[in-house]
Amino acid sequence: MRRQWMAAVAVTMAGLLTLSACGGGGGDGGGGGAPQSPQADARKKVEVFSWWTGPGEADGLKAMREIFEKQNTGLEFFDAAVAGGSGDKARALLATKLQADTPPDTFQGHAGAELQGYIKAGDLEPVNFLYDELKLRDVFPQQLIDQISVQGQIYSVPVNIHRSNVMWFNPAVLKEAGVTEVPATIEEFVAALEKVKKAGKIPLSIGSEWTMVHLLESVLLGSLGTDAYNRLWTAGSDWSGPAMTKALNDFKTILSYAGDPADDWQPAAKQVADGQAAFNIMGDWAYGYFHNPPDGGLGKTSKTDFDWAPSPGTGGTFMWLSDSFTLPKGAPNRDGAVAWLKVAASKEGQDAFNPKKGSIPARKDADSGLYTDYLADALKDWGSDKLAGSIQHGVVANDAWRAAINEAVGIFHADKDVAALQSSLAEAAKSSGQ
């Protein structure tokens, strides 16, 4: 059944490929004078492919776009964003475009195993020349450069750092339910969920299937511990042992307190901000959605309408991911793509983008005064915490492995069979070649 669904998605994505040429931002039409040929118009446009369409993320993209257009008056920004949290739909469409040898000029990709799939497939051009020209090795953390490099070649420009393991909660709902301490362990979290359930509110809001994998990665980290979690992504990893069984039973228990799945992460997060639900485990892009004014977010007040803490059991560890932009081989407007990458890499571009997106800059020299409230906490923790990579957001698992994990979790959501889930995850790890 799942394979039939995936086949249907592939057909849908092929249709979207045809439609995508009609979307995006408007242009000046070439102004007066003789009409331009389609080829000339295509050279002026810069197709920027991403999945940033929701509040917060779209605002951040718009802020970078304004800088790009101001600096490059002869180029037209073409917004080829595809809706769908976590980029699953966008990556399916992107795969279709790359297979058809019709790449966008630049596309968003997560640093790590996800990006390395494109590198190994020969889809990307190295951008070492940009790192040399802009002296980017001096301003990006080495650990991040390592994740976007293969054999000394660097393949993308990271624009931000996100934290995945954030527990968002509504203080008033917790108080009403008699939860007096913010849960720091999985056991405390389960006890708090039970109190909220008895109080008649949704204990845990959840979105579409990918948000359940997002929840799983935090539960695995919290149950296994940082070192054991990180070993899952190395050769000879143990997905079949008792520690994993316990972690998956923790996941089952926590998921049993979830409300009906929302369409995506935003409506699930909104349930917390509106006082309908107590908790939501989501990346820190939710901060921009909560905090930004109503024209681009919910306009909520931190520490009153919403608050945050590391997801249970993960205090002292920063589960990270990074959005980056690439230079595809055969990009129709290579010069325009390079111009976009320069904005994405710049201090000005990152400081315009990240406060709205709800992320911190990839650069080490950003204006720290712009990052307040939650983002100040994230900046501090990024510099001091242990690190673990996200599953759902491309750091530790390549696309095929991540898809297998998503499929296993989707089946588990229906049958609640821990043994079957563990077996499927172990087989996915084995098949990954890790």
Side-chain angles (χ1 to χ4, degrees):
M1 190 68 184
R2 175 76 178 180
R3 289 186 176 90
Q4 292 173 350
W5 178 83
M6 291 296 289
V9 169
V11 172
T12 302
M13 290 303 107
L16 284 173
L17 174 59
T18 302
L19 294 174
S20 66
C22 302
D28 60 8
Q36 293 181 313
S37 69
Q39 291 80 6
D41 186 54
R43 284 196 299 271
K44 287 186 63 179
K45 287 184 178 179
V46 183
E47 182 182 355
V48 178
F49 188 96
S50 77
W51 51 84
W52 289 333
T53 62
E57 58 195 20
D59 301 295
L61 181 62
K62 180 182 178 183
M64 275 205 299
R65 171 181 182 165
E66 290 172 353
I67 295 171
F68 172 79
E69 291 177 333
K70 182 178 179 181
Q71 294 178 358
N72 300 278
T73 55
L75 296 173
E76 177 188 345
F77 182 98
F78 186 88
D79 186 355
V82 176
S86 189
D88 288 349
K89 293 179 181 178
R91 282 190 293 270
L93 175 56
L94 177 63
T96 304
K97 292 173 73 71
L98 294 176
Q99 289 167 6
D101 291 326
T102 57
D105 295 309
T106 180
F107 65 83
Q108 175 189 357
H110 288 131
E114 174 189 308
L115 191 65
Q116 289 178 7
Y118 299 117
I119 296 170
K120 292 174 183 177
D123 292 325
L124 300 182
E125 182 180 334
V127 291
N128 295 53
F129 67 94
L130 269 182
Y131 279 70
D132 295 338
E133 178 184 343
L134 304 177
K135 296 181 169 45
L136 297 180
R137 292 178 184 84
D138 297 335
V139 297
F140 288 147
Q142 186 59 46
Q143 63 194 10
L144 184 55
I145 293 177
D146 290 344
Q147 288 286 349
I148 54 179
S149 304
V150 172
Q151 298 179 344
Q153 298 296 312
I154 305 173
Y155 287 90
S156 74
V157 172
V159 68
N160 67 1
I161 299 292
H162 270 303
R163 186 173 195 167
S164 165
N165 60 317
V166 186
M167 177 179 68
W168 303 98
F169 59 94
N170 186 299
V173 173
L174 295 196
K175 183 177 180 180
E176 180 184 337
V179 179
T180 57
E181 298 289 336
V182 177
T185 67
I186 287 179
E187 293 73 21
E188 292 172 358
F189 187 43
V190 172
L193 292 169
E194 180 64 24
K195 287 184 177 181
V196 174
K197 180 180 179 180
K198 289 180 178 177
K201 293 292 181 73
I202 299 170
L204 177 68
S205 64
I206 198 123
S208 52
E209 185 176 290
W210 75 265
T211 71
M212 299 177 201
V213 179
H214 185 104
L215 173 63
L216 173 65
E217 67 185 25
S218 267
V219 174
L220 291 181
L221 179 62
S223 184
L224 296 172
T226 306
D227 293 341
Y229 174 86
N230 285 336
R231 283 196 296 270
L232 292 175
W233 317 105
T234 61
S237 59
D238 181 14
W239 288 78
S240 300
M244 178 60 73
T245 304
K246 179 186 180 302
L248 295 178
N249 275 302
D250 288 339
F251 178 59
K252 178 179 180 179
T253 299
I254 291 169
L255 197 57
S256 72
Y257 287 98
D260 293 334
D263 290 338
D264 210 337
W265 71 267
Q266 290 101 332
K270 189 174 186 294
Q271 289 178 326
V272 171
D274 289 347
Q276 299 171 10
F279 296 101
N280 181 250
I281 306 293
M282 187 44 56
D284 55 10
W285 45 90
Y287 175 75
Y289 177 57
F290 287 138
H291 177 75
N292 288 351
D295 61 344
L298 298 178
K300 299 291 186 177
T301 302
S302 64
K303 305 296 182 179
T304 300
D305 299 316
F306 69 97
D307 206 340
W308 59 87
S311 55
T314 72
T317 298
F318 195 114
M319 181 176 272
W320 72 278
L321 59 133
S322 174
D323 294 302
S324 64
F325 280 95
T326 63
L327 182 58
K329 286 185 178 178
N333 188 345
R334 184 183 183 279
D335 290 345
V338 170
W340 172 254
L341 293 178
K342 288 182 176 180
V343 172
S346 70
K347 182 177 182 294
E348 181 184 7
Q350 296 202 6
D351 279 343
F353 172 79
N354 284 295
K356 294 181 181 296
K357 175 70 160 64
S359 49
I360 57 176
R363 293 180 66 109
K364 298 183 290 185
D365 62 348
D367 183 354
S368 60
L370 297 174
Y371 301 89
T372 59
D373 206 30
Y374 165 79
L375 296 177
D377 288 352
L379 266 179
K380 174 178 67 68
D381 291 347
W382 171 247
S384 61
D385 281 5
K386 292 181 179 181
L387 298 180
S390 167
I391 300 171
Q392 176 60 27
H393 306 286
V395 178
V396 293
N398 62 34
D399 270 356
W401 192 356
R402 183 187 54 78
I405 293 172
N406 271 260
E407 180 173 357
V409 171
I411 293 170
F412 175 75
H413 185 241
D415 66 21
K416 307 299 189 295
D417 187 335
V418 168
L421 173 60
Q422 186 167 5
S423 177
S424 295
L425 294 177
E427 181 58 34
K430 182 180 178 181
S431 299
S432 74
Q434 189 72 288

